[in-house]
Amino acid sequence: MKVVLINRSDSLGGAAIATTRLMNALSQAGVAARMLVVDKRTDSDDVARVGSPITQRYCFLAERLKIFASNGFNRRTLFKIDTATHGISIAAHPWVQWADVVVLGWINQGMLSLNGVEQLMALGKPIVWVMHDMWNCTGVCHHAGQCTAFETTCRSCPLTGKNGDDISTATQHRKQQLYGKGNIHFVAVSHWLEHQCRRSSLMRDANISVIANPFPTAQFSAAFDADNPWHIAPDRKIVVMGAARLDDPVKGFDTLIDTTHHIARHMPHLAQQLHLVLYGKLRDTSLLERLELPYTHLGYVSDLKSVYSHAHIVISTSRVESFGYTLVEGMACGCTAVTTGNGGQTDIVEHLKNGYVAHSGHPQDIARGLEWAVDHMCDRAGQHCSIEQRFDQAVIARRHITLYNELITGKFNTLS
């Protein structure tokens, strides 16, 4: 079997990491897998850049300018919207012609247009579209938040600032035309994301399988290293939270701050037991001063294994996550998990078994979760094993291969 994967980048962003891991997992399972990107950052021979830098730049800028004009020249929402009106034409690329199956990932910002997707569909090959957020089932946004317009007709989008029909309406209509052609099979990386798609007028009846992102479990060890490099007192439980950008609003750093306030003021016994270790960039470093628990901020970290090997708890306060890689990484290193339940985290964390799910998302509930974690530290080897059994790249590769074979032979059965 020959598979070509399409993603904007091979390493920048969660979708890029997931797509590269899928390519590697398929290769290790005996599939000939290659990847096409416009932003190549690795030296892999199985990854090729498509389009010249000038062409890619034109596609990126042309789409942004149209969005900028359509949202009232609002820079705040400029990169929260994608319309896929411009992209590189890849249907004639030798690797696409070579492949038995075409797998799409995150294709926005100059990689592939919706017209380009239609050109791929015209080839008659199975098209599998792995969804890493809600963009496929909305007009233009990647996470709808409290907006429910995607359930019917996207219009008066809060991200465009316009009343009535807008670019969200036009893009939703274009997606509807595309999906109506019928030969795209969608993969949601969590049951939460599938549920969002089933709410959508665009994808209510679409062919959707739920297959999680693959994870290289063997690269992570559950062994605990008590000799932490941050000189944190050994009687403290180290709680790790991380993101590419910690103060991205979706990551809920303000919720973490409020959680520390609640603990410091109402749970002093717990405050004396915790130390936060934070990794990732911060645009506003003054936010750290609002934390009311001791903390260490590491900034950008390239080796997450070394962080989690010294930690006891991994925490996610995200408002929404399509999957939840930081939880998987922490648990693969043996950490007990504490998380909100606003997304794919509930596919990873089983409440009061391998962690605590604060379904309300309230700081008080998250604080209770941290207290539970301190009192019920999970077996580190068991945490690692739970990730290996459910999300290891070999497990996920087998599910993808089964899907591809069923699509090729026309014998598809819904996976869950």
Side-chain angles (χ1 to χ4, degrees), residues 173-194:
H173 180 65
R174 178 67 183 98
K175 289 177 183 177
Q176 187 175 41
Q177 290 178 322
L178 185 70
Y179 299 168
K181 297 184 182 298
N183 64 330
I184 301 178
H185 188 95
F186 296 94
V187 170
V189 297
S190 66
H191 286 89
W192 172 86
L193 184 54
E194 181 202 26

Side-chain angles (χ1 to χ4, degrees), residues 263-278:
I263 292 172
R265 296 167 190 176
H266 303 287
M267 307 169 76
H269 63 287
L270 182 60
Q272 294 173 4
Q273 299 179 70
L274 302 178
H275 187 107
L276 299 175
V277 171
L278 310 168

